[in-house]
Amino acid sequence: MSLFKKLFGSKQKQEASGTGTDQRGKFMPEIKLPTDEKFTINFKKNGGKFLYCDSIEEIYDCFNSILSENNWTQEQVCCIDSKLSTTFQKYNFSKSNTCQNATLLLSPCENLVADNGAILISSNQIKESKLNDLPDNFIIFATTSQLVDTIGEGLRGIKNKNKNQIPTNITTIKHFSIKEENDFLTYGSSSKNLYLLLLEDL
């Protein structure tokens, strides 16, 4: 499954056949997009930066490129999640669990929500830290199997995976441009400069 092939391929087919949304009557039902395509469109609309990878080596290459592009060092990266720290064990990250002096948080997530292009996270990833207390810059590591259509579906998944102890501090990040904080529509939400490293696992 290639998100980019689906996304760009479907547009080309529409243009070639002339059956885009402009040709549809106003009473026709809306075309239901695949979950991955819908997430990609909404995530980019929210200002997120998206890197699709076929292998863990590609993930490392993209991660290095992000650090280089922003002049960030490995020591400025905080990774609270122990499993992800193991995946990125060749890097020299900040050892602090609070990310107090870090520039960047590297984190997994619970789910990627297609309906609004949001990232669903919980105490499994960020402990009891509030979003405002975490760095302004996030790199989220996720897999294609974590894509869900709605927040409700994501919450049910969290409940099913954690039957013994449901995580706390469940929240979504859906504004990925720091300047948006001045917009009254995003008042009270925490905007993050966010990169998504998405690994194909289906």
Side-chain angles (χ1 to χ4, degrees):
M1 175 177 93
S2 171
L3 293 171
F4 291 116
K5 278 182 189 171
K6 280 192 173 185
L7 183 60
F8 298 118
S10 63
K11 280 188 178 177
Q12 287 167 354
K13 281 177 191 170
Q14 275 187 2
E15 285 166 10
S17 61
T19 57
T21 51
D22 292 341
Q23 303 294 321
R24 294 172 59 80
K26 62 180 180 178
F27 298 110
M28 292 286 286
E30 283 186 29
I31 298 171
K32 186 168 168 51
L33 291 173
T35 304
D36 55 357
E37 197 171 325
K38 188 165 42 168
F39 173 77
T40 305
I41 292 165
N42 290 330
F43 179 76
K44 286 183 175 179
K45 204 183 287 181
N46 291 343
K49 291 170 276 290
F50 181 94
L51 296 155
Y52 174 77
C53 304
D54 281 324
S55 65
I56 195 67
E57 288 73 26
E58 222 178 312
I59 291 283
Y60 295 144
D61 287 343
C62 289
F63 181 73
N64 287 329
S65 296
I66 294 169
L67 293 185
S68 174
E69 180 186 310
N70 292 283
N71 295 316
W72 292 328
T73 65
Q74 293 179 31
E75 290 80 11
Q76 290 175 295
V77 180
C78 175
C79 185
I80 300 172
D81 187 89
S82 57
K83 284 183 186 172
L84 197 57
S85 290
T86 304
T87 305
F88 284 80
Q89 62 187 345
K90 64 180 183 177
Y91 294 93
N92 183 28
F93 294 149
S94 164
K95 300 293 184 266
S96 169
N97 268 353
T98 61
C99 295
Q100 205 166 10
N101 299 313
T103 302
L104 168 71
L105 174 70
L106 174 66
S107 175
C109 66
E110 294 288 349
N111 289 108
L112 307 171
V113 184
D115 268 358
N116 58 1
I119 309 287
L120 185 63
I121 57 175
S122 75
S123 56
N124 286 340
Q125 293 82 43
I126 60 170
K127 308 299 181 193
E128 298 307 319
S129 301
K130 293 178 182 172
L131 284 180
N132 287 332
D133 297 332
L134 294 168
D136 286 334
N137 305 295
F138 273 41
I139 296 179
I140 297 292
F141 174 76
T143 59
T144 49
S145 59
Q146 290 177 275
L147 284 158
V148 294
D149 278 310
T150 64
I151 289 176
E153 191 181 334
L155 293 173
R156 283 192 298 275
I158 291 173
K159 191 176 178 182
N160 291 337
K161 277 190 296 183
N162 303 275
K163 287 182 178 175
N164 295 333
Q165 187 174 3
I166 295 173
T168 57
N169 204 14
I170 298 170
T171 187
T172 58
I173 316 169
K174 60 180 177 180
H175 302 294
F176 310 126
S177 179
I178 302 301
K179 64 184 179 185
E180 285 184 8
E181 287 178 352
N182 297 324
D183 183 345
F184 78 94
L185 293 172
T186 63
Y187 182 76
S189 65
S190 184
S191 299
K192 299 293 179 186
N193 174 35
L194 191 140
Y195 291 85
L196 173 62
L197 296 176
L198 185 62
L199 179 64
E200 176 66 70
D201 71 338
L202 292 174

